[in-house]
């Protein structure tokens, strides 16, 4: 909380409270809630994998005490470890907003649906949206795997090197998606960001559109069968399942794409910044 107190001294609240102290001797309340009550704050999570996705989605965003987000203010939900940091001109933030809906309106595929498709659908490519996994994959990647935080750092560093003006770069690497569904395993997320850096004093405002592409190939149903039924259970699977998992099928691609709007206000100097 010490950092919060240092921040408070640079807020409009503090200037007014200090003025009131000089004029009337009114005690200055340095609690961050008092300082922020009338103003705005930046939501800060602990940025570890225990942060719930709905709060991770708020990380770095600016909110008003008079207009809470649907999650409530930081620290209000049971077990929430998030903090509100006073927002003033030189407060850093970086937020990612997913553009458009991630919902599919279709039944969600379980592991056996992946196997069925392998044997019966001739290798047709499927999209994450049509198999009902788009939201889970995007949130797993963004928050559990920490990709939004890493991209904030990456874009900040790229913007520092590029100077003021246009920004364009690409990225891509494999990640483990087995927690969403065993069938996904290791899959590649790649993409690019394009936008602008605009300088304001010691800060740089950076606005980008980030395009993401997910790609995976389903080739490995035998391994899936082992993972579905476990080593000791393998000999006891029903004849129907055994037939399904023994016949030859056709490998198929799993693809997905989504767009994110990135907006940040970050120190131009790397050593002052939390984003580097
Ligand atoms: Zn929280």
């Amino acid at each position: 909380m010490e950092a919060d107190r240092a921040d408070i001294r640079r807020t409009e609240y503090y200037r007014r409270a200090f003025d009131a102290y000089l004029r009337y001797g009114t005690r200055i309340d340095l609690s961050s809630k008092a300082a922020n009550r009338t103003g705005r704050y930046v939501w800060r999570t602990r940025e570890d994998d225990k942060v719930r996705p709905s709060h991770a989605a708020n990380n770095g965003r600016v909110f008003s005490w008079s207009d809470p987000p649907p999650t409530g203010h930081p620290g209000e939900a049971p077990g929430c470890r998030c903090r509100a940091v006073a927002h003033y001109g030189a407060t850093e933030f970086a937020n990612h907003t997913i553009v458009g809906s991630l919902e599919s309106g279709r039944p969600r595929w379980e592991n056996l649906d992946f196997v069925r498709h392998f044997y019966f659908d001739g290798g047709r490519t499927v999209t994450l949206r049509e198999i009902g996994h788009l939201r889970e994959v995007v949130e797993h990647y963004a928050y559990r795997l920490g990709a939004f935080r890493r991209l904030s750092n990456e874009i900040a560093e790229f913007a520092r090197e590029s100077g003021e003006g246009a920004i364009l770069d690409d990225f891509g690497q494999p990640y483990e998606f087995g927690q969403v569904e065993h069938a996904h395993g290791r899959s590649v997320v790649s993409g690019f960001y394009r936008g602008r850096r605009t300088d304001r004093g010691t800060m740089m405002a950076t606005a980008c559109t980030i395009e993401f592409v997910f790609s995976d190939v389903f080739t490995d149903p035998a391994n899936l069968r082992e993972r579905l039924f476990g080593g000791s259970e393998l000999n006891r699977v029903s004849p129907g399942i055994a037939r399904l998992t023994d016949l030859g099928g056709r490998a198929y691609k799993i693809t997905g794409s989504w767009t994110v709007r990135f907006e940040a206000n970050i120190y131009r100097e790397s050593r002052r910044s939390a984003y580097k």
Side-chain angles (χ1 to χ4, degrees):
M1 295 314 269
E2 282 311 303
D4 289 352
R5 291 194 171 213
D7 289 342
I8 286 163
R9 293 178 195 280
R10 291 142 88 176
T11 62
E12 185 59 34
Y13 162 83
Y14 188 80
R15 280 190 288 277
R16 271 183 303 179
F18 192 67
D19 188 54
Y21 170 73
L22 291 178
R23 285 171 193 233
Y24 314 112
T26 312
R27 196 181 70 86
I28 300 173
D29 184 353
L30 275 181
S31 72
S32 59
K33 267 221 162 139
N36 284 322
R37 187 59 74 191
T38 54
R40 304 202 297 164
Y41 64 85
V42 179
W43 188 300
R44 295 266 190 250
T45 69
R46 297 293 182 94
E47 295 184 345
D48 57 29
D49 62 3
K50 293 197 279 294
V51 177
R52 64 203 88 183
S54 62
H55 289 200
N58 288 345
N59 190 32
R61 305 194 67 138
V62 179
F63 297 105
S64 167
W65 283 107
S66 58
D67 182 22
T71 50
H73 293 304
E76 284 183 358
C80 174
R81 301 165 300 142
C82 301
R83 295 186 308 132
V85 175
H87 178 259
Y88 50 92
T91 300
E92 289 195 304
F93 66 85
N95 73 57
H96 297 254
T97 309
I98 295 162
V99 177
S101 168
L102 300 177
E103 302 307 335
S104 61
R106 310 256 198 117
R108 185 189 184 285
W109 272 25
E110 308 296 334
N111 281 312
L112 214 48
D113 297 309
F114 286 86
V115 178
R116 215 171 269 130
H117 190 77
F118 178 83
Y119 290 109
F120 299 120
D121 293 334
R124 183 176 64 79
T125 296
V126 294
T127 66
L128 290 175
R129 193 183 290 275
E130 76 173 279
I131 67 175
H133 286 216
L134 186 58
R135 171 174 293 285
E136 285 171 75
V137 163
V138 170
E139 291 185 347
H140 182 75
Y141 167 76
Y143 308 125
R144 297 283 175 237
L145 297 173
F148 275 2
R149 176 64 212 209
R150 278 197 304 279
L151 270 169
S152 297
N153 294 343
E154 199 177 312
I155 295 172
E157 276 300 272
F158 188 81
R160 278 189 190 100
E161 286 165 23
S162 316
E164 207 171 8
I167 291 169
L168 174 65
D169 200 15
D170 58 6
F171 57 87
Q173 69 180 81
Y175 295 94
E176 184 53 53
F177 284 91
Q179 273 180 283
V180 174
E181 196 68 62
H182 284 309
H184 282 304
R186 216 159 162 72
S187 313
V188 172
V189 179
S190 58
F192 65 92
Y193 51 86
R194 65 188 145 77
R196 290 199 81 73
R197 162 181 162 178
T198 311
D199 291 350
R200 291 171 193 154
T202 57
M203 314 288 285
M204 56 180 187
T206 305
C208 290
T209 300
I210 317 177
E211 305 287 353
F212 296 90
V213 175
F214 173 98
S215 50
D216 191 18
V217 180
F218 185 92
T219 55
D220 195 15
N223 191 31
L224 181 73
R225 175 175 160 188
E226 194 173 311
R227 281 184 291 177
L228 278 172
F229 304 107
S232 60
E233 299 290 314
L234 266 181
N235 298 326
R236 283 188 274 151
V237 299
S238 72
I241 295 292
R243 215 176 316 122
L244 200 61
T245 50
D246 283 344
L247 292 171
R250 285 276 297 276
Y252 59 97
K253 289 180 187 161
I254 305 165
T255 63
S257 62
W258 62 99
T259 303
V260 163
R261 184 82 197 135
F262 175 79
E263 285 166 307
N265 195 40
I266 291 172
Y267 281 117
R268 287 164 59 183
E269 268 185 69
S270 185
R271 66 180 174 84
R272 293 180 72 178
S273 178
Y275 299 95
K276 55 194 169 194

